[in-house]
Amino acid sequence: MRFLKLIISGLVFTVIYPAWSFTLNNTVAATFPGNDVPVNVAAHTCNNLGVSNQDLLEMVGDAVNNYWNQAPNSRLRLRKGSLTSVSAAFQTEPGCTSTAGGSCTPNPNLVVSGGILISCNTDTGSPANFSSGVMAVTIPNNIQDRNINGSLILLNDKVDNSFKNKSHDEQVAILAHEIGHGLGLGHSPVEDSLMYYASIPTRRSLGWDDLDGLAYLYPTGQPFSGCGSITLNHDDDESTGQGPGMFAFTMMLGIGLMLGLRRLKTSGLWR
Amino acid sequence: MQQFSLMHIQCLLIFFLAFTQVVLCPAQAVETPASPPSLLTLQSWSLGAGGKTDFINTLQVDRQGSKNSFDPELTLLGGIHFNAPWVFPFIEAGSTIPGKGRDPNITRFSWFANTGVQGRFDLGAPKALGVKTGVGMSMTTISSQGGTQTLQNGNQTDSFPMPSGTTITRNVIAVFGLNYDLLNHWRFAADYHLFNPFNDRNRAWSSLFSVNYLFDFNHSKVAAEPNKTKNYLIPSEF
């Protein structure tokens, strides 16, 4: 008995109380209403980033799959989009027409109609997008009520940008961080979170704050999602006819088999 | 998703059926040698405490890039254990303690409710080994009272809004576990919860190591029950 008391006491006193923190980048906790959010890359040439648009698009694939799509308790499924033709304004104009009081008034010329759009930007307008050392700016610039319809990520494409000097993995992490802003998350005060305000070369996956922030904004709702539909995950649109219906059928088949075997056993026909 | 779908489900089911129909039978026979139990009888209930680690090896926990391995949260749990033909069904539920830490404005805790079956292997009373499998729901509650945090933003600081309200996430989980009865009424359990079992994109594991105390439901009733199966011979005198 003393041994057991020691074990229980040890369990109680050695457990850690992890708790986490995250912030938002808008006051209404706006989110994308759907589960499937594409991340597109503007098709115009980036002159100073050191990577091509196609390279950027491939990095977007890594960013969504290695970071945000890993969250076990989020309904969101980000996907690599495509190279998208946009107006020249995305390449030069500021993301905000005003930043008075720290609040951005989105530039109406750069409104993103759907999903998240990444565009390199040479920052020739006013107010400036990028102060010294800033690699990117993200604005959910198409919000209606509490729905984000579109978010814009502007990558610093000026000659002196520091993005081009980062390793491939760090560039992927930077894109993932900006995509997090595009989803509605703000910065985190802790270093082990992707949403920490500074880039860290050893970033490899989400941190607790990121996971909790994403789960807060985009929680899973298994097994019932919406009225009358049953789902185990949100990848059913890409499945090959083996979605929740097939799962339910297979489970019923299994239960039927069990009951059948039980009946055979009780009747003595099968031992 | 395509690689872990119907075929895997069927394999799991076949394994499950084989497990419940064949492997569990010897243990059942040990515990009820005289007569088969009724369809479903209450056997015991339990209370326990342990440490639960969520989403093992999924999240970065330091600047160096290490991932989370074993950082348990105190978890309280309870269960009801049944006796049925061939298997021992169970219902269990547990919760971590609502905690506030790095940010006192955000409260987070997770809770779960599981059901399934287990097999018991008698290792010489009171020692016994249990193997269990089942399904359940895991939920996480995240809540905050709002407000703002002033954080670095580029070369300046800005006030970032805190969430205001509560969100509950719900995940269907598959449950696997081993437990060991070392002493009378005391059970050590190692359980694993598999999130998104049919989705290799965000599949994740949580572990729960716990110590449980079992209370018999019908200990006294069994003792008081008259032996219905014994054949009493009453001498007839004439």
Side-chain angles (χ1 to χ4, degrees), chain A residues 16 19-21 24 69 72 131-132 187 191 202 204 206 212 216 220-222 224 238 242 247 258 262, chain B residues 2 5-6 17 39 60 63 72 86 101 103 108 137 152-153 155 161 167 170-172 196 198-199 201:
Chain A
I16 302 164
W20 307 279
S21 61
L24 310 175
N69 283 347
S131 53
S132 175
H187 279 158
E191 284 187 331
T202 51
R204 293 293 178 269
L206 295 178
D212 282 348
Y216 182 86
T220 45
Q222 300 171 1
F224 302 105
E238 69 177 10
Q242 298 174 353
F247 174 76
M258 277 190 70
R262 192 161 139 179
Chain B
Q2 286 87 349
S5 55
L6 185 60
L17 287 170
L39 193 62
Q60 185 162 338
R63 190 185 175 95
W86 312 309
D103 192 320
R108 177 193 195 277
M137 287 287 294
Q152 191 74 26
N153 189 23
N155 295 322
T167 286
R170 300 196 313 267
N171 281 82
V172 174
N196 307 312
F198 310 109
N199 187 346
R201 171 173 67 81

Side-chain angles (χ1 to χ4, degrees), chain B residues 42-68:
Chain B
L42 288 168
Q43 191 178 44
S44 61
W45 61 285
S46 62
L47 289 174
K52 182 165 176 274
T53 302
D54 276 333
F55 310 141
I56 298 164
N57 203 34
T58 302
L59 299 163
Q60 185 162 338
V61 291
D62 60 27
R63 190 185 175 95
Q64 286 68 44
S66 309
K67 290 192 173 182
N68 60 323

